[in-house]
Amino acid sequence: MRRTKHHLAISLISLAIAGSCSIAQAETEAEHAHKSPGQYESSATAMTGEDVKIVKSPGAPDLTEQEFQKATRIYFERCAGCHGVLRKGATGKPLTPDITQAKGSAYLEALISYGSPAGMPSWETSGELSKEEVTLMANFLQHEPPQPPEWGLEEMRNTWKVLIKPEDRPDKQLNDLNLKNLFSVTLRDAGQIALIDGDSKEIVSVINTGYAVHISRISSSGRYLFVIGRDAKVNMIDLWMKEPATVAEIKVGLEARSVETSKYKGFEDTYAVAGSYWPPQYVIMNGQTMEPLKVVSTRGMTVDTQEYHPEPRVAAIVASHEKPEFIINVKETGKILLVNYENIDALKVTTIDAARFLHDGGWDSTHRYFLTAANKSNKVAVIDSKEGSLEALVEVGAIPHPGRGANFTDKKFGPVWATSHLGDGSIAVIGTDPDKHPDNAWKVVRSLDAQGGGSLFIKTHPRSQHLYVDTPLNPDTGISQSVAVFDLNRIDEKYKILPIAEWADLGDGPKRVVQPEFNEAGDEVWFSVWNGKEQESAIVVVDDKTLALKTVIKDPRLVTPTGKFNVFNTQYDIY
């Protein structure tokens, strides 16, 4: 069913304070107590509401201690990623008591219930929160947020486990999997990932991980799969084992999003790095055992007003191909760090001022330039990883959210990189070739119109002539359940719409379609049809040449599938 005009009107009003949320916040999250035996249970922390003591705030509605604990958990699971643990805002607007008490309970309930076209989820109308829970959250937001604990090297070491030592691991691949075409698929509400054979379309194994895995990354060698959950648990999975399994794990904080491994020649698989949302910091680890070696805080001054920020969270991290460096986005301060790992005991960090609210991004086709969204600043920052400098700040549409972005050659403008947006239906196409196309470099050379706002990912492949754009957070179900496809040979023509959710044939549920991902050959595109936890979900595979349905992968173990990461494409940064 499509939204009523009344619902859309309320959604538009709610834009005034709502901002938008990424997939990590928009997804349906299950309470840990409802997990079946054997599934991963998050550690008890203030972030999940356990043992939190309510601090009465003057003017706020009364809450019992039990209600406050429940609301804290809901906020951490669904809201903190956009609005911040301390509710000071980022992709989403700030939700501090001075703002929320002025808005009042009725306004907040409407906001939470109906969401916004810019990406704020419709928590009640989608069935993900009950009316009572919406009221609870409206009341909770008018109180001061609880202060979460810190998490340093000692806490990390207490969670660090080497399950199989490096010397006890295989010295060759023991299974017959085609690892180049293996997919790591996030099963968010199950606290697991599924490894799916891209050739047979069969699930190879389901592996318990942290809570609500955010991303999967592949080591430089292609052997190790690293996944990180929103609860900051990192699993290191050995794909060479007869049955791929976790060989080391660690919890690097209380909330996190990003993990990466060293890729520069001579340092392959030497280090891993993970960035936390809370505490705001990153940790460099041994790439074979995940032993934590160096923890670095990101607290500091913002690039614009140069005032202190207590919660500058680590967003995207990529490994440089030009130098032994990790490139780290610090969201709230708007700083990009080039962290040289040649000598971590004498760490050299180059700090580049970009723009606030840095989020995700990816490489241009040459792997020299890193293009990353400063989403609430409506900019894309371009980093020259060879020179270690800011090449440009490009004005784009409302709240860019590229994922890794999409590289292709425009017949008129040459090599380009594209991003879609959470806040509007445009696609910004940016020139990326300063050598042969200097007049087009680091400029928006095209602005394409897609289905609408609420896009999280845009994707193409060097062997494809199509550009795919999802819109899972759009409030119109007809849009959130389909994808737009542009023909790169006729990019000025109107896009085609693929009814992905309809092809999945799942029955009831929100059925949001998210994250196109190519196979290794570049002739198939996989989409997650992400339904409620108690409803059937699926993965839809489309033939890239014909845009026809190829197959639908269904399995009871596919619980809320979202992100998908092809091993080969992720290993070599192909997008």
Side-chain angles (χ1 to χ4, degrees):
M1 285 180 61
R2 291 176 180 264
R3 288 286 191 86
T4 65
K5 291 182 179 179
H6 171 68
H7 287 176
L8 287 174
I10 294 177
S11 294
L12 288 166
I13 292 171
S14 72
L15 262 173
I17 69 169
S20 61
C21 293
S22 74
I23 193 169
Q25 289 67 252
E27 294 162 353
T28 307
E29 311 288 342
E31 296 183 8
H32 292 192
H34 293 168
K35 291 183 179 292
S36 61
Q39 289 180 308
Y40 174 72
E41 299 286 343
S42 177
S43 302
T45 71
M47 296 289 284
T48 55
E50 298 179 32
D51 301 323
V52 168
K53 301 299 181 184
I54 184 171
V55 179
K56 298 288 186 180
S57 299
D62 192 36
L63 289 177
T64 67
E65 190 169 300
Q66 185 178 13
E67 288 172 331
F68 193 81
Q69 290 173 355
K70 180 178 180 180
T72 299
R73 183 180 65 248
I74 292 173
Y75 182 83
F76 163 61
E77 292 176 348
R78 294 171 166 86
C79 316
C82 265
H83 300 283
V85 173
L86 303 181
R87 305 213 302 260
K88 293 184 178 294
T91 306
K93 294 289 186 179
L95 295 172
T96 48
D98 58 316
I99 297 171
T100 54
Q101 287 188 21
K103 295 296 182 183
S105 295
Y107 184 93
L108 294 172
E109 287 186 30
L111 164 66
I112 297 166
S113 295
Y114 300 116
S116 79
M120 171 74 174
S122 52
W123 293 113
E124 183 186 351
T125 57
S126 66
E128 293 166 354
L129 289 180
S130 67
K131 185 174 181 60
E132 292 73 23
E133 287 172 327
V134 168
T135 299
L136 172 64
M137 295 309 296
N139 294 339
F140 169 76
L141 292 175
Q142 297 176 65
H143 288 266
E144 290 289 338
Q147 179 74 30
E150 298 296 322
W151 192 271
L153 185 64
E154 180 180 359
E155 288 81 5
M156 291 183 199
R157 284 190 170 273
N158 288 339
T159 69
W160 169 51
K161 298 176 184 177
V162 179
L163 305 175
I164 302 177
K165 296 178 181 179
E167 59 266 27
D168 296 331
R169 298 171 195 166
D171 56 10
K172 62 180 180 180
Q173 185 178 339
L174 298 183
N175 56 62
D176 59 0
L177 294 172
N178 176 10
L179 294 184
K180 290 183 178 181
N181 204 29
L182 188 70
F183 286 77
S184 173
V185 179
T186 297
L187 307 179
R188 291 194 55 85
D189 290 347
Q192 299 171 324
I193 62 159
L195 297 180
I196 301 182
D197 185 334
D199 298 333
S200 68
K201 312 299 189 291
E202 297 292 330
I203 294 178
V204 173
S205 62
V206 173
I207 299 173
N208 291 335
T209 61
Y211 172 62
V213 163
H214 190 68
I215 60 170
S216 297
R217 289 291 178 260
I218 309 298
S219 68
S220 178
S221 66
R223 173 176 183 169
Y224 293 112
L225 170 67
F226 291 79
V227 298
I228 188 165
R230 292 190 62 202
D231 60 355
K233 184 182 180 183
V234 187
N235 289 66
M236 178 182 179
I237 298 165
D238 188 351
L239 299 177
W240 281 12
M241 295 175 65
K242 186 174 182 180
E243 295 183 2
T246 297
V247 293
E249 62 183 41
I250 190 172
K251 190 171 166 62
V252 298
L254 301 180
E255 188 184 5
R257 294 294 186 277
S258 51
V259 66
E260 182 61 290
T261 66
S262 54
K263 292 184 176 179
Y264 189 69
K265 186 176 180 180
F267 290 91
E268 298 93 335
D269 295 11
T270 300
Y271 294 115
V273 62
S276 300
Y277 269 23
W278 189 271
Q281 60 195 27
Y282 61 90
V283 55
I284 298 174
M285 300 168 285
N286 182 299
Q288 297 294 315
T289 66
M290 294 182 64
E291 178 186 5
L293 302 172
K294 174 77 70 173
V295 184
V296 183
S297 174
T298 55
R299 290 181 172 103
M301 316 307 282
T302 62
V303 296
D304 43 13
T305 58
Q306 297 192 44
E307 59 185 325
Y308 178 76
H309 199 292
E311 191 190 354
R313 299 170 290 174
V314 176
I317 303 176
V318 296
S320 174
H321 299 268
E322 297 281 350
K323 297 177 182 178
E325 291 180 342
F326 294 121
I327 302 180
I328 298 177
N329 280 350
V330 184
K331 186 184 288 279
E332 279 76 13
T333 56
K335 296 179 179 180
I336 298 173
L337 310 180
L338 310 184
V339 180
N340 188 298
Y341 50 73
E342 283 183 291
N343 182 357
I344 65 170
D345 293 322
L347 204 64
K348 296 179 181 178
V349 180
T350 300
T351 301
I352 298 175
D353 288 354
R356 292 187 68 184
F357 311 117
L358 293 161
H359 193 60
D360 54 353
W363 295 104
D364 79 312
S365 59
T366 69
H367 293 163
R368 171 174 174 173
Y369 298 98
F370 176 55
L371 294 94
T372 185
N375 48 32
K376 283 297 287 183
S377 294
N378 301 330
K379 292 179 172 64
V380 167
V382 183
I383 298 298
D384 183 343
S385 67
K386 184 175 182 178
E387 298 298 329
S389 61
L390 178 69
E391 190 76 8
L393 279 175
V394 185
E395 295 280 348
V396 292
I399 317 177
H401 195 289
R404 290 297 192 113
N407 288 297
F408 59 95
T409 300
D410 187 290
K411 292 194 172 183
K412 181 177 180 180
F413 299 107
V416 295
W417 178 93
T419 181
S420 53
H421 299 82
L422 275 163
D424 64 40
S426 70
I427 297 169
V429 181
I430 299 170
T432 61
D433 185 4
D435 295 328
K436 296 181 180 179
H437 298 82
D439 293 340
N440 303 330
W442 321 131
K443 299 175 184 176
V444 176
V445 296
R446 292 186 189 273
S447 182
L448 307 175
D449 292 325
Q451 291 198 84
S455 176
L456 291 177
F457 298 101
I458 185 170
K459 185 73 73 171
T460 189
H461 187 278
R463 297 191 183 101
S464 174
Q465 287 303 311
H466 293 116
L467 178 68
Y468 298 84
V469 186
D470 71 11
T471 41
L473 299 189
N474 194 284
D476 186 323
T477 56
I479 295 175
S480 65
Q481 295 181 2
S482 61
V483 297
V485 186
F486 289 84
D487 185 336
L488 296 179
N489 291 316
R490 293 178 287 275
I491 199 166
D492 289 325
E493 295 183 4
K494 187 174 176 61
Y495 53 83
K496 294 181 179 179
I497 297 176
L498 302 186
I500 302 296
E502 179 183 323
W503 286 346
D505 190 23
L506 295 175
D508 293 336
K511 295 175 291 193
R512 287 165 289 195
V513 175
V514 65
Q515 207 234 10
E517 175 74 349
F518 278 84
N519 64 344
E520 186 265 337
D523 58 9
E524 291 178 355
V525 193
W526 293 34
F527 298 90
S528 295
V529 184
W530 153 43
N531 223 349
K533 183 182 179 183
E534 304 303 327
Q535 296 157 319
E536 187 179 28
S537 291
I539 292 173
V540 171
V541 181
V542 173
D543 187 309
D544 178 61
K545 304 300 181 186
T546 64
L547 301 184
L549 173 64
K550 192 165 186 178
T551 190
V552 178
I553 303 173
K554 293 183 180 181
D555 190 291
R557 294 171 291 176
L558 285 178
V559 178
T560 56
T562 52
K564 300 165 301 303
F565 303 87
N566 174 269
V567 165
F568 184 84
N569 293 336
T570 305
Q571 178 184 358
Y572 292 103
D573 292 322
I574 297 171
Y575 37 80

